[in-house]
């Protein structure tokens, strides 16, 4: 089953994301934490779990939009469950139109291995994460000034 994030899931999501992303600088780590905080707060994360145990997380996907364009921020599936369509199911649950390109802010080794670019129509843009963080900061500043 695919369900929305629950508070109980947050520690697992933070841990699995931060430990599987290779953050080369403190700035990337800070941007990643800021983005996770934002997505958790907005509940822009879906969780894949067995139908009979909604608290057993097999995988999760963080998503969003920028200027109307679909975004895949990060996807995580436990290693022993990869290759079973779980990632595809989560992606199509949020973005059912296979023809619509989805931009990606984090390009994992696994997405490269499965050739997500041609398989799922996902495109990684290296400058997208800083642009998104800037946009989110600007929105926060506007809310704070209001």
């Amino acid at each position: 089953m695919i369900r929305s994030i629950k508070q109980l899931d947050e520690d697992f999501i933070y841990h699995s994301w931060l430990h599987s992303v290779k953050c080369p600088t403190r700035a990337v780590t800070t941007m990643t934490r800021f983005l996770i905080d934002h997505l958790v707060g907005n509940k822009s994360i879906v969780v894949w779990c067995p139908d009979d145990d909604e608290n057993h997380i097999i995988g999760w996907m963080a998503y969003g939009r920028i200027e109307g364009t679909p975004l895949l921020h990060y996807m995580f599936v436990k290693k022993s469950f990869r290759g079973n369509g779980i990632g595809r199911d989560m992606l199509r649950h949020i973005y059912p139109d296979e023809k619509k390109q989805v931009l990606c802010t984090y390009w994992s080794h696994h997405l490269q291995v499965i050739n997500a670019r041609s398989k799922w129509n996902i495109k990684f843009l290296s400058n997208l994460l800083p642009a998104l963080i800037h946009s989110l900061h600007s929105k926060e500043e506007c809310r704070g000034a209001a």
Side-chain angles (χ1 to χ4, degrees):
M1 99 171 53
I2 297 173
R3 62 167 175 76
S4 295
I5 184 176
K6 300 190 291 188
Q7 188 174 6
L8 180 67
D9 308 328
E10 292 176 16
D11 286 342
F12 180 79
I13 288 165
Y14 274 92
H15 182 270
S16 56
W17 192 337
L18 291 169
H19 284 85
S20 60
V21 170
K22 305 295 185 247
C23 293
T25 65
R26 197 172 292 151
V28 175
T29 301
T30 301
M31 285 190 292
T32 302
R33 280 193 164 280
F34 178 82
L35 181 58
I36 297 170
D37 291 344
H38 173 77
L39 296 168
V40 166
N42 285 342
K43 300 201 178 296
S44 297
I45 298 173
V46 292
V47 173
W48 197 102
C49 52
D51 291 337
D52 62 346
D53 188 357
E54 71 175 44
N55 293 322
H56 182 191
I57 300 172
I58 302 297
W60 57 266
M61 185 183 92
Y63 62 93
R65 289 190 176 275
I66 187 167
E67 299 176 6
T69 301
L71 292 177
L72 166 63
H73 292 297
Y74 201 75
M75 180 183 294
F76 177 86
V77 176
K78 288 181 178 176
K79 194 172 191 170
S80 58
F81 293 93
R82 293 177 188 161
N84 292 309
I86 293 168
R88 181 201 62 235
D89 289 350
M90 290 187 292
L91 184 69
R92 294 303 163 222
H93 179 78
I94 299 300
Y95 303 121
D97 184 357
E98 294 180 23
K99 293 179 183 164
K100 181 117 173 134
Q101 188 167 61
V102 177
L103 299 182
C104 185
T105 53
Y106 291 84
W107 192 250
S108 70
H109 173 72
H110 187 67
L111 286 177
Q112 187 172 343
V113 167
I114 66 168
N115 196 10
R117 188 176 327 246
S118 63
K119 190 174 183 179
W120 294 345
N121 200 15
I122 294 175
K123 182 177 183 178
F124 172 68
L125 297 174
S126 61
N127 60 350
L128 188 56
L129 178 62
L132 177 66
I133 297 301
H134 174 74
S135 174
L136 294 174
H137 270 295
S138 296
K139 286 178 186 174
E140 281 188 1
E141 288 173 4
C142 288
R143 275 191 291 251

